[in-house]
């Protein structure tokens, strides 16, 4: 081994960016407004006030280019940020590729994913507004863990409704949430009207994200000291996540590299948006010209197979209407292991950029993703969460293309979390019981067609 | 929040130490030799050659002050090293203490603990010697995970016997080992003579570390292409772990601090030794004068309650005889959650230093340890492995003492791993089902007295 290789590109705490980037300021075309489901008219700040503090509502609609990160939030960020950017020397070597692969690793956070980047400011602004408790839903549990951690930092109570199927299958997530001081209930629960109405019909219901949202929202709407928090999709969530991309720009500059291709997995879109928005800004300013590629699961391909239309954010149909790529709000994706990517829609900002041809998208079956995840673990040493194995599969594909072509392309990818609490999925893959789902089979097509027929019809 | 606080003290990859420190060079008095169990005479390198490569055997007996770390090992270390040193501002604040608390965090490694610091060089030297496969035992699974990761880096096969009780209770450890490419068997297994002889007597045996060692050693002893690897206790293991302390010295110097007290948990002693040996060197050189305190579980207190005598390293009595603090090689500690601290003996080097009054020791019940672990998670954001919660409990105790006395003491502690795969233990604590065990109860005293009666009698 002759040449000394640098694996990690680090920033000091002093070098950490101190403001979030708001992509709304620079969009080539303005995004469609969010509509009130009753009136069909754009929603205003007051419509959102029962659930969110005014600071977050103003961030949701702001067109300022930058938002200063409060010092109290920076101080918590510094528990793990700046996060490392890795050069994947050992993965490159295993692939025998001339491509240079970089990955931005968010698994160093207390919750093990990128989610605390928004959980911390959300809890901070709620605490500042005098809110004593936050309610939320969680599916696989990443978001619930992040919110429970953030609440522990600002002395705010945290109450979480977790889809019962996940609650029963993933006890470690529940314990981690409780260790951070959060309270967690399986959903449907007998604690809310929404939950009781479901249980009355089906006492053995294993729940759904839509039901869990209804329970969390109901609790927040009924009590002025309780607010609700959401972990993806919304503009302010993606705003907070831009700390990822801002750090990465500095880190790549430190080693004199520019990304030719940026690859990230997309569920609601917050990790992908957080990484790539600052790169879009640089592209629009003419400073660089990366191709930007979203990778979604073949079992839930909202960008590549969905319709661009106004739809509800939740399954039950309580939220404002957002224009987004959607498979229909009551489409239930196959139970793939990447719980964080099983969302029927896509962030309106990401959807708008996709429609505007600023970004491209591909879909990957989970077996290909886990194969990339295992290769990654055995070369780079990190067992990735199932979600970012989608980005890794597309990274490996591109690196092998470079091997054919001889291109020394710089590929930047987002490793948004570790898989320590998702090892059962690796067990399924290693023992050969992972199933891929054909999007074109008759049942799936019938189910998505039925869901798309239920898209809300706008009166105006 | 007025003053900007630095949470992490980082070193660049360039600043990472490139040699291990060998405490044998500087010991005030020479340690007792390791003896052959048959002859009672000191063992020589040839006695160890069937199990270990000569490079490691020479490190075991070397008195050179430093050993250069091979570039191939440094390159793997750089996947996660240098590891961060944290200032625990938020824990200090919660305790309202004038003490300044620093923790060296080894959970950033691929296996989530300090174990890869020795697994990587052990596999490297074996691969260099032409060894194709390593066999080992694992209890809770930290060591097995580390060895499987290290084997993946040097294309060496890895075969692990895990105590069946843990194999059945902790499926995530098994999956992580398999994700890194290792093969894992519950022990006792039908694959070895030792395992078959146990199963013949008790087909439902849940195993023990002693049986697992016998199986792993048997496989290595029978095949010249297979060697055996051990994750603690031995001199070369502690040598490799000194990278922890060497980094910490540089990090404390970076912020102009000197440790007044160093606190680490001890099972076999490798994490504690790795942190404090370089500080002992500095003390012996007159550069600083820290108090150094080992923390052991009240249920397995080898230093504070054991006898300093020659004993076997394993339960069955196959290994050379080492002079150490021991509870007797067939003492079975209570099933506490800190599996990594349930060892009947203590590293001969640590034992020798304790006997020489260079270090002190305390024992802590696990309920106090988990309480400290939960406080730590809710302030610093990291859920600690059960083992280092012992060090945290002693750290909290000292910080509260400082609160009483007003002393601005600098406390350095070793956070040797995260608890992501140990969350069941936190569940037990949070739900109030953790039990503490009284060392002085009649059954425990009878059991350790019986074990001490079986200490080997030396012929010479």
């Amino acid at each position: 081994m002759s040449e000394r290789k640098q694996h990690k590109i680090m920033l000091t705490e002093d070098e950490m960016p101190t403001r979030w980037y708001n992509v709304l300021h620079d969009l080539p075309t303005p995004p469609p407004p969010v509509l009130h489901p009753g009136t069909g008219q754009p929603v205003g700040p007051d419509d959102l006030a029962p659930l969110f503090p005014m600071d977050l509502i103003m961030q949701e609609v702001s067109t300022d280019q930058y938002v200063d990160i409060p010092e109290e939030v920076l101080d918590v960020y510094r528990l793990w940020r700046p996060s490392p950017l890795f050069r994947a020397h050992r993965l490159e070597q295993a692939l025998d590729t001339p491509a240079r692969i970089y990955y931005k690793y968010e698994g160093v956070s207390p919750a093990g994913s990128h989610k605390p980047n928004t959980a911390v400011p959300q809890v901070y602004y709620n605490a500042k507004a005098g809110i004593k408790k936050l309610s939320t839903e969680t599916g696989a549990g990443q978001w619930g863990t992040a919110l429970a951690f953030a609440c522990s930092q600002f002395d705010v109570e945290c109450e979480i409704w977790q889809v019962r199927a996940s609650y029963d299958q993933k006890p470690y997530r529940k314990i981690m949430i409780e260790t951070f001081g959060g309270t967690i209930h399986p959903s449907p629960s007998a604690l809310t009207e929404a939950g009781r109405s479901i249980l009355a019909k089906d006492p053995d219901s294993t729940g759904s994200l839509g039901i869990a949202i209804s329970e969390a929202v109901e609790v927040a709407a009924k009590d002025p000291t309780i607010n609700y928090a959401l972990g993806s999709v919304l503009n302010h969530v993606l705003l907070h996540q831009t700390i990822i991309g801002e750090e990465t720009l500095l880190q790549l500059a430190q080693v004199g590299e520019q990304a030719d291709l940026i690859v990230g997995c997309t569920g609601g879109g917050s990790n992908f948006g957080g990484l790539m928005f600052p790169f879009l800004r640089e592209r629009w300013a003419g400073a660089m010209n990366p191709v930007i590629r979203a990778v979604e699961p073949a079992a839930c391909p909202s960008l590549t197979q969905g319709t661009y239309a106004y739809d509800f954010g939740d399954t039950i149909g309580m939220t404002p209407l957002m224009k987004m790529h959607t498979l229909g709000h009551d489409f239930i994706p196959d139970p793939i292991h990447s719980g964080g990517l099983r969302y029927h829609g896509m962030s309106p900002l990401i959807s708008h950029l996709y429609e505007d041809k600023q970004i491209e998208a591909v879909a990957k079956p989970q077996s290909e993703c886990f194969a990339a995840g295992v290769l990654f673990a055995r070369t780079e040493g990190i067992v990735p969460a199932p979600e970012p194995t989608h980005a890794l599969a597309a990274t490996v594909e591109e690196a092998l293309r470079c091997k054919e072509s001889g291109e020394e392309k710089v590929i930047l990818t987002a490793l948004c979390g570790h898989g320590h609490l998702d090892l059962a999925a690796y067990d399924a893959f290693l023992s050969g019981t992972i199933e891929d789902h054909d999007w074109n089979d008759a049942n799936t097509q019938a189910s998505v067609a039925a869901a798309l027929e239920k898209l809300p019809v706008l009166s105006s």
Side-chain angles (χ1 to χ4, degrees), chain A residues 5 38 106 120 151 158 188 194 247 256 259 282 303 341 352 354 360 363:
Chain A
K5 289 170 181 161
E106 292 294 309
V120 171
C151 283
C158 183
E247 285 181 3
E282 298 303 311
L303 279 175
L341 307 184
H352 182 64
Y354 183 63
E360 53 184 61

Side-chain angles (χ1 to χ4, degrees), chain A residues 137-141 160-171 174 184-191 195 198-199 202-213 215 342:
Chain A
E137 73 289 335
T138 198
I160 297 167
W161 275 263
Q162 182 173 28
V163 178
R164 179 177 275 285
S166 295
Y167 182 92
D168 290 339
Q169 284 161 18
K170 302 197 172 188
K174 166 182 169 290
I184 182 165
H185 313 289
S187 168
S189 76
L191 300 165
I198 301 285
L199 289 172
D202 178 6
D204 298 323
S205 167
T206 56
S208 75
L209 209 51
I211 298 167
I213 293 176
E215 296 202 85
R342 290 180 70 235

Side-chain angles (χ1 to χ4, degrees), chain A residues 381-412:
Chain A
I382 298 169
V383 179
E387 290 81 1
T389 63
H390 289 75
L392 293 175
T395 298
V396 166
E397 180 181 50
E398 188 74 24
L400 292 176
R401 235 178 249 144
C402 291
K403 184 182 174 182
E404 291 300 310
S405 68
E407 266 185 293
E408 295 185 7
K409 195 175 275 190
V410 173
I411 305 173
L412 167 66

Side-chain angles (χ1 to χ4, degrees), chain A residues 141-152:
Chain A
Q142 278 284 11
W143 169 242
T145 310
L147 196 68
F149 156 70
C151 283
S152 77

Side-chain angles (χ1 to χ4, degrees), chain A residues 28 38 131 145 151 160 236 253 264-266 280 282 329 363 385 406 427:
Chain A
I131 292 298
T145 310
C151 283
I160 297 167
H236 70 271
C265 67
T266 46
L280 272 179
E282 298 303 311
H329 60 273
D427 194 34

Side-chain angles (χ1 to χ4, degrees), chain A residues 250-274:
Chain A
L250 297 174
Q251 288 165 311
L252 283 175
Q254 197 187 100
V255 290
E257 291 272 39
Q258 282 205 351
D260 297 307
L261 173 67
I262 299 173
V263 181
C265 67
T266 46
S270 75
N271 166 63
F272 179 64

